[in-house]
């Protein structure tokens, strides 16, 4: 388990990253009441939130943004395994620091996350949605930062402000749009189906049939939810998994290509370079 805490402008950035060959559970609490926004990156760890005899479970956290209020009686449990590594970034502040936040964050918290600023329980949950591509890139950059000292702090400050801007911007869009909960559930199911079989995914028609809608609605709503068309999303996830297989599991380029559904190593290498900016042989 790698854990780093950065204190910036009356906020704390918590970076947590872990992978393992066996299943392990990491439990944590907060020392005082906090308002937090958690961004789950490339991992897909399972999460349980326990408080006052209640349990809330999240089995697929990859790409999820979770906002919440929590006091000292709330326990967060991450279940890490070889198939579900942890990559989580949390921006958190205490209730007593809300008026001190420098860039209007306190005002936006009051406006968009009123239920967290005025909690009525030990644990109160705010909006949950999937990160936009811009948010995902920013979160990845937090984990790949190579700067040190004052440059590192400058990097974190600027990226935290950018990430929160995208986050509150997304809440503003959601607030002004009537969300069709049933349709959103279907689109998230489509995402789960794609992720469950990257090597042999269903066709667009099959996927639409599986979630109970038509292909046109699937294409429009999937892009609206995840920022990219269905099979661009699928390609990105295939390449991310292949990168992980080569870097962390020492698979050959051919093995990684086959594992994510590429028959041609040449096509795989070209797509890999287009996404990451370097060939798989350079990982």
């Amino acid at each position: 388990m790698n854990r780093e805490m950065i204190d910036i402008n009356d906020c704390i950035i918590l970076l947590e990253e872990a992978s393992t060959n066996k299943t392990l559970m990491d439990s944590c609490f907060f020392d005082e009441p906090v308002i937090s926004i958690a961004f789950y990156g490339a991992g897909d760890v399972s999460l349980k939130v326990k408080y006052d005899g209640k349990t809330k479970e999240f089995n697929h956290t990859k790409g999820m943004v979770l906002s919440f209020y929590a006091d000292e009686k709330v326990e967060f449990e991450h279940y890490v395994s070889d198939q579900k590594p942890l990559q989580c970034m949390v921006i958190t502040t205490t209730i007593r620091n809300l008026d001190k936040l420098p860039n209007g964050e306190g005002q936006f918290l009051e406006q968009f996350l009123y239920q967290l600023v005025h909690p009525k329980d030990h644990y109160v949950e705010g909006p949950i949605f999937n990160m936009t591509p811009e948010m995902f890139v920013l979160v990845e950059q937090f984990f790949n930062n190579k700067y040190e000292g004052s440059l590192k702090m400058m990097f974190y400050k600027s990226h935290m402000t950018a990430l929160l801007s995208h986050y509150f911007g997304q809440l503003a869009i959601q607030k002004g749009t009537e969300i069709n909960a049933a349709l959103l559930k279907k689109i998230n199911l489509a995402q789960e189906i794609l992720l469950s079989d990257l090597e042999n995914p269903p066709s667009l028609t099959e996927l639409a049939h599986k979630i109970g809608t038509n292909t046109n609605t699937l294409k429009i709503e999937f892009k609206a939810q995840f920022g990219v068309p269905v099979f661009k999303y699928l390609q990105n996830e295939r390449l991310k998994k292949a990168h992980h297989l080569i870097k962390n599991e020492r698979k050959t380029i051919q093995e990684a290509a086959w594992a994510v559904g590429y028959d041609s190593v040449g096509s795989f290498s070209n797509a890999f370079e287009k996404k990451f900016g370097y060939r798989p042989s350079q990982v």
Side-chain angles (χ1 to χ4, degrees):
M1 168 72 71
N2 296 318
R3 181 177 286 136
E4 182 179 8
M5 297 179 68
I6 307 102
D7 195 345
I8 296 177
N9 295 337
D10 296 302
C11 288
I12 291 176
I13 297 175
L14 173 63
L15 298 175
E16 293 184 294
E17 196 168 20
S19 59
T20 179
N21 292 327
K22 58 183 180 180
T23 301
L24 61 86
M25 186 271 284
D26 178 65
S27 174
C28 66
F29 298 83
F30 290 96
D31 294 334
E32 61 179 306
V34 297
I35 294 175
S36 301
I37 306 169
F39 302 84
Y40 283 85
D44 194 22
V45 70
S46 297
L47 167 67
K48 288 184 181 179
V49 183
K50 296 183 176 181
Y51 65 101
D52 201 24
K54 306 171 188 174
T55 300
K56 180 71 181 287
E57 295 189 34
F58 300 90
N59 294 316
H60 298 285
T61 57
K62 185 175 183 177
M64 181 179 76
V65 184
L66 168 66
S67 60
F68 59 86
Y69 161 85
D71 65 16
E72 305 92 327
K73 296 185 178 180
V74 182
E75 180 181 12
F76 296 83
E77 294 180 351
H78 286 122
Y79 291 81
V80 186
S81 68
D82 60 340
Q83 297 298 315
K84 292 192 172 187
L86 170 64
Q87 189 183 75
C88 179
M89 173 194 171
V90 184
I91 299 175
T92 186
T93 188
T94 60
I95 296 291
R96 58 185 169 81
N97 281 340
L98 286 181
D99 294 334
K100 301 177 185 178
L101 300 179
N103 299 314
E105 290 96 340
Q107 173 189 338
F108 290 127
L109 287 169
E110 180 80 28
Q111 179 181 352
F112 295 114
L113 300 173
Y114 182 88
Q115 69 273 38
L116 307 187
V117 179
H118 306 278
K120 296 182 179 179
D121 204 345
H122 299 295
Y123 174 77
V124 180
E125 205 164 80
I128 302 172
F129 56 90
N130 290 94
M131 283 189 276
T132 63
E134 294 84 1
M135 294 164 71
F136 213 113
V137 168
L138 284 165
V139 171
E140 284 185 333
Q141 288 175 348
F142 271 94
F143 287 97
N144 294 325
N145 167 53
K146 303 299 182 185
Y147 296 117
E148 297 293 339
S150 57
L151 279 177
K152 181 177 182 179
M153 294 304 292
M154 179 184 293
F155 176 90
Y156 281 147
K157 286 179 183 178
S158 63
H159 278 59
M160 183 181 78
T161 300
L163 184 57
L164 288 176
S165 297
H166 285 294
Y167 174 74
F168 287 121
Q170 202 62 19
L171 290 184
I173 293 171
Q174 290 183 9
K175 191 173 182 180
T177 305
E178 190 72 28
I179 297 177
N180 186 328
L183 181 57
L184 185 60
K185 186 175 181 180
K186 290 180 179 180
I187 298 304
N188 286 331
L189 175 60
Q191 180 206 28
E192 290 184 20
I193 292 170
L194 291 175
L195 293 176
S196 68
D197 193 357
L198 293 175
E199 185 179 358
N200 297 296
S203 68
L204 201 62
T205 302
E206 291 170 337
L207 184 60
H209 179 73
K210 285 176 179 287
I211 67 172
T213 189
N214 58 63
T215 56
N216 192 49
T217 298
L218 171 60
K219 288 190 288 186
I220 293 171
E221 297 300 331
F222 193 96
K223 186 173 182 180
Q225 175 71 355
F226 297 105
V228 291
V230 175
F231 284 105
K232 182 64 175 177
Y233 178 88
L234 176 64
Q235 183 189 48
N236 287 339
E237 294 304 316
R238 280 174 157 177
L239 294 172
K240 287 177 185 177
K241 181 178 179 180
H243 189 288
H244 172 81
L245 291 173
I246 296 169
K247 181 179 179 181
N248 298 310
E249 298 188 21
R250 304 303 187 208
K251 299 292 185 183
T252 66
I253 295 172
Q254 188 173 65
E255 287 172 336
W258 286 348
V260 297
Y262 279 86
D263 295 326
S264 166
V265 173
S267 297
F268 166 72
S269 296
N270 290 336
F272 191 99
E273 183 177 20
K274 186 175 181 180
K275 175 169 177 58
F276 295 108
Y278 48 84
R279 308 289 286 182
S281 58
Q282 296 174 274
V283 173

